[in-house]
Amino acid sequence: MDGAKLAVIDKATAALERWGALHDGSVQLINNFGNVLQRLPALAQPRNYDGLASPQKLQAAVQAAQALSLNNVLTRLHAIMDDLGAVVRQQERFALDAAGALGQNSDACLAGTPVSSTLAPAQMVEAIEDAWFMCRDELCLKAAIVSELSPGMAPNEFEPLRQIFCACVNVGDGRPSVLALRQAAACG
């Protein structure tokens, strides 16, 4: 396989792997947010502090710690969203690089001729573009969900958002573009 084409495939595959790692981290954080959110109603009940020394002070301190925890989780989640955005911008550049590696005046027959045991140049470009589009769409969905998160939301409002966020509906290991990129990188 041509070195430029292989380099683009390797970079695009690495970006997908980075996306997956960041997604896993974001899922952990959104689950942490939900765990803290579910504890808040019980922590707001004064009767849960009866019999303890300085129950009002203790309750205020515990609630302040939980509010700080929620804020920290949201801050880290926003940082991961920024990192996911950086991956999507990289993928856009890789899609342009892939199209450039194919060449401006490529013969249709040459574009359909496999450059490796798995991908023809046109398929390479399409797979890289598809990966970019899938991650871009997933980023938009995740960003919309994160913008809805609030320490004041009810746990039953949070749960459907958490499920959609964690599902990663636009990007999956079984998608043909993802499989094609990984297979081409492995064969390169």
Side-chain angles (χ1 to χ4, degrees), residues 137-157:
D137 294 349
E138 186 66 24
L139 177 63
C140 291
L141 178 63
K142 287 185 180 319
I145 290 170
V146 169
S147 74
E148 293 293 317
L149 299 181
S150 150
M153 72 187 316
N156 63 339
E157 294 173 336

Side-chain angles (χ1 to χ4, degrees), residues 25-182:
S26 68
V27 166
Q28 183 178 5
L29 287 173
I30 203 156
N31 287 333
N32 290 351
F33 182 87
N35 291 338
V36 174
L37 198 63
Q38 286 183 336
R39 289 192 299 262
L40 292 179
L43 296 174
Q45 298 295 320
R47 66 180 163 79
N48 291 331
Y49 301 88
D50 289 346
L52 300 173
S54 304
Q56 292 173 334
K57 286 183 182 178
L58 181 60
Q59 181 181 14
V62 168
Q63 286 180 308
Q66 293 302 300
L68 181 60
S69 178
L70 278 177
N71 185 56
N72 289 339
V73 169
L74 281 175
T75 299
R76 291 172 45 209
L77 192 55
H78 282 283
I80 285 182
M81 296 303 297
D82 290 343
D83 291 344
L84 287 169
V87 170
V88 169
R89 287 187 298 280
Q90 279 181 333
Q91 289 175 318
E92 180 181 16
R93 285 191 298 277
F94 299 151
L96 293 172
D97 291 347
L102 181 60
Q104 289 185 337
N105 298 320
S106 293
D107 183 333
C109 292
L110 290 177
T113 304
V115 291
S116 74
S117 61
T118 58
L119 289 180
Q123 292 170 314
M124 175 192 71
V125 172
E126 183 178 15
I128 292 171
E129 285 178 345
D130 285 350
W132 165 40
F133 295 151
M134 288 185 297
C135 291
R136 181 200 59 197
D137 294 349
E138 186 66 24
L139 177 63
C140 291
L141 178 63
K142 287 185 180 319
I145 290 170
V146 169
S147 74
E148 293 293 317
L149 299 181
S150 150
M153 72 187 316
N156 63 339
E157 294 173 336
F158 169 76
E159 185 55 25
L161 296 175
R162 185 196 69 77
Q163 289 176 357
I164 294 168
F165 188 97
C166 294
C168 199
V169 295
N170 292 302
V171 181
D173 287 338
R175 297 283 180 126
S177 298
V178 173
L179 293 173
L181 279 176
R182 287 188 175 140

